[in-house]
Amino acid sequence: MKQLLKRWWEGNYVPPRNDPNDSVFILQGDYDKHWTSKVAHALAGFWLKYWQWCMGFGLAVIGLIFRH
């Protein structure tokens, strides 16, 4: 299960496409992520960057809900 989750998070490795007749070649490939993994990366990045604002906003909303 851990390997499945890791593969989903990182994505599938796509090796570089090099022309055998070209004098320049690329060594490093790229990872092709599933769209759900891209969304999860975006949400995690937002949380890590703005977690203080998210917590404050969440607590304010909870305070407004339970104000009665």
Side-chain angles (χ1 to χ4, degrees):
M1 184 68 171
K2 186 178 177 182
Q3 289 295 335
L4 180 66
L5 187 61
K6 183 178 177 182
R7 189 171 56 221
W8 169 80
W9 181 259
E10 291 178 350
N12 295 325
Y13 179 73
V14 179
R17 295 184 181 149
N18 292 314
D19 185 13
N21 298 326
D22 200 2
S23 61
V24 177
F25 60 94
I26 301 171
L27 296 175
Q28 186 175 359
D30 196 16
Y31 286 91
D32 185 27
K33 294 180 183 75
H34 191 264
W35 69 270
T36 55
S37 178
K38 290 178 185 177
V39 170
H41 275 272
L43 291 174
F46 183 82
W47 174 261
L48 290 174
K49 190 170 183 181
Y50 300 112
W51 67 271
Q52 297 96 342
W53 292 97
C54 295
M55 295 275 283
F57 180 75
L59 290 173
V61 169
I62 289 171
L64 288 173
I65 291 172
F66 291 114
R67 187 171 63 121
H68 305 213

